[in-house]
Amino acid sequence: MSEIKHNAHTEGTDAVFELHKTVVLVGMMGAGKTAVGRALAARLGVPFLDSDAEIESAANMTIPEIFERDGEPFFRAKESQVIGRLLDAEKGILSTGGGAFLSELNRQMITERGVSVWLRADLKVLWNRVKHKDTRPLLRTADPYATLRALYEARVPVYAQAGLTVESDGETSIENMVDRVVNAMLTRPDVLERK
Ligand SMILES: Nc1ncnc2c1ncn2[C@@H]1O[C@H](COP(=O)(O)OP(=O)(O)OP(=O)(O)O)[C@@H](O)[C@H]1O
Ligand SMILES: O=C(O)C1=C[C@@H](O)[C@@H](O)[C@H](O)C1
Ligand SMILES: [Mg+2]
């Protein structure tokens, strides 16, 4: 009987990939964790999970509503619970919220049970992607660009601790980002292998 592997066909090849651990996308708001994560999971034929979306559906509230009603510390506690639970689920792609990797507990869980991939983008690229949307409560300030810059400066050294880094510039499409992440994953046979 032939074994059915996760599909995972790349353009122009019949390559089939085998994912060995959950890949956890980390990085700033607007880095593309959700957009690239969803496309990456589709490419590899593995489950896609998004901690922000899980928190929203469990609470039946949006993230701005949770921040407003229960505060950021409550959100962060939920975020850690959800990340712990999703790391126990079937191997797949887990996109996190922009602040998730800042928690030492979360970093420890992610590093022990999966592999972190930082989607690194310049501040200007990030700003261009987030400035039109009002869905990020931390940016509801008098000067959202200055707030994003302050978060960026504080967070970059922490994201840099991720296991792998993939550059997300302003010119690269989501599908090309998926190519880059797959190539980065293939440098780690404990993460992804071509079969
Ligand atoms: N490489 C890319 N090319 C074009 N658009 C992109 C790219 N990456 C992200 N985007 C767009 O930028 C916006 C923000 O991306 P996304 O929501 O995936 O970011 P995120 O990292 O999940 O942010 P958050 O931490 O707030 O959840 C979306 O509209 C998305 O489609
Ligand atoms: O960067 C952050 O701290 C956040 C990013 C979003 O993904 C959400 O998790 C929330 O808006 C907080
Ligand atoms: Mg997201």
Side-chain angles (χ1 to χ4, degrees):
M1 197 172 70
S2 69
E3 190 192 347
I4 298 173
K5 297 234 169 66
H6 287 311
N7 51 348
H9 290 269
T10 36
E11 269 173 308
T13 75
D14 282 325
V16 178
F17 298 107
E18 197 169 353
L19 182 68
H20 296 303
K21 41 174 94 163
T22 288
V23 166
V24 184
L25 299 183
V26 305
M28 286 290 288
M29 328 173 196
K33 301 177 298 294
T34 298
V36 174
R38 184 179 288 114
L40 175 64
R43 174 86 65 91
L44 299 178
V46 299
F48 171 64
L49 305 159
D50 187 287
S51 63
D52 283 342
E54 290 285 328
I55 294 165
E56 288 186 319
S57 69
N60 199 23
M61 285 162 80
T62 64
I63 287 173
E65 285 167 352
I66 298 170
F67 268 70
E68 203 172 311
R69 197 187 77 175
D70 303 309
E72 184 173 353
F74 177 88
F75 173 81
R76 295 300 174 198
K78 286 282 158 227
E79 187 171 53
S80 292
Q81 277 174 18
V82 161
I83 286 171
R85 178 165 62 75
L86 296 180
L87 283 167
D88 282 340
E90 198 187 340
K91 286 189 289 273
I93 308 302
L94 169 55
S95 296
T96 58
F101 204 57
L102 276 294
S103 144
E104 196 180 338
L105 167 67
N106 295 349
R107 287 201 299 279
Q108 205 179 346
M109 290 195 292
I110 291 166
T111 308
E112 281 171 5
R113 290 142 71 183
V115 61
S116 50
V117 178
W118 176 26
L119 298 186
R120 208 199 74 78
D122 286 345
L123 183 59
K124 279 198 182 124
V125 171
L126 296 168
W127 175 244
N128 280 330
R129 292 190 189 144
V130 301
K131 67 182 174 192
H132 302 296
K133 273 209 171 169
D134 186 29
T135 52
R136 294 170 174 102
L138 293 181
L139 298 183
R140 291 180 172 180
T141 63
D143 186 348
Y145 178 76
T147 305
L148 187 72
R149 186 177 57 213
L151 288 171
Y152 181 88
E153 284 165 4
R155 290 174 172 189
V156 159
V158 183
Y159 298 138
Q161 297 172 32
L164 293 164
T165 298
V166 176
E167 193 65 28
S168 172
D169 56 51
E171 278 82 53
T172 309
S173 68
I174 287 166
E175 281 306 316
N176 287 338
M177 281 303 299
V178 171
D179 294 337
R180 285 186 187 178
V181 179
V182 168
N183 287 335
M185 289 163 69
L186 285 169
T187 67
R188 289 274 305 266
D190 60 319
V191 175
L192 185 71
E193 286 183 296
R194 218 183 271 278
K195 284 290 157 192

